[in-house]
Amino acid sequence: MFHFRTLDVYKCAVSFLPKAYEIAEVLDREMASQLRRAALSINLNIAEGTGRFERDQRKFLVTARGSALECAAVLDAMTALRLEHPSVVESDGLLVRIVSMLTKMIG
């Protein structure tokens, strides 16, 4: 098994991904594309980062954290635009966990 698959942060990112794609269905094309791209970027950068050493690893984890924050900003934009989806609250909670864990890993 690949090491990244054992990480709680990666498991949370994988759990967030289908929620992001479901939420994207209620968004316009631009916002949906941003959310899907950023959500997938979290997973990909965590996986790639864990295969790197020190400085390179940090760069990928910082990028994953930025993508998670970008997803949270899309959820905030949804609230501002009064766009609703039943997964938003749970998804926001996953993003808070992901950002927190990545922040500690980057530390």
Side-chain angles (χ1 to χ4, degrees):
M1 177 183 298
F2 293 108
H3 171 67
F4 65 85
R5 290 181 178 155
T6 67
L7 300 174
D8 191 35
V9 67
Y10 183 78
K11 292 175 186 177
C12 286
V14 168
S15 295
F16 173 69
L17 188 61
K19 293 180 186 327
Y21 272 67
E22 289 171 15
I23 292 168
E25 292 179 15
V26 302
L27 302 176
D28 66 31
R29 179 183 282 173
E30 184 177 337
M31 282 179 65
S33 176
Q34 279 296 114
L35 181 59
R36 286 191 299 264
R37 182 198 56 74
L40 183 59
S41 175
I42 300 167
N43 296 29
L44 298 178
N45 279 290
I46 292 169
E48 188 165 357
T50 60
R52 302 292 178 118
F53 297 99
E54 297 174 24
R55 186 174 172 171
D56 282 342
Q57 182 180 62
R58 186 177 191 283
K59 180 180 82 168
F60 283 96
L61 297 178
V62 167
T63 300
R65 184 178 180 276
S67 294
L69 291 168
E70 186 177 342
C71 290
V74 171
L75 299 184
D76 289 345
M78 287 180 66
T79 300
L81 296 170
R82 295 187 171 93
L83 301 172
E84 297 180 9
H85 191 280
S87 295
V88 168
V89 172
E90 184 181 357
S91 296
D92 193 64
L94 280 170
L95 290 169
V96 168
R97 286 185 65 200
I98 290 166
V99 169
S100 175
M101 287 185 274
L102 287 170
T103 300
K104 289 176 185 172
M105 291 172 76
I106 292 163

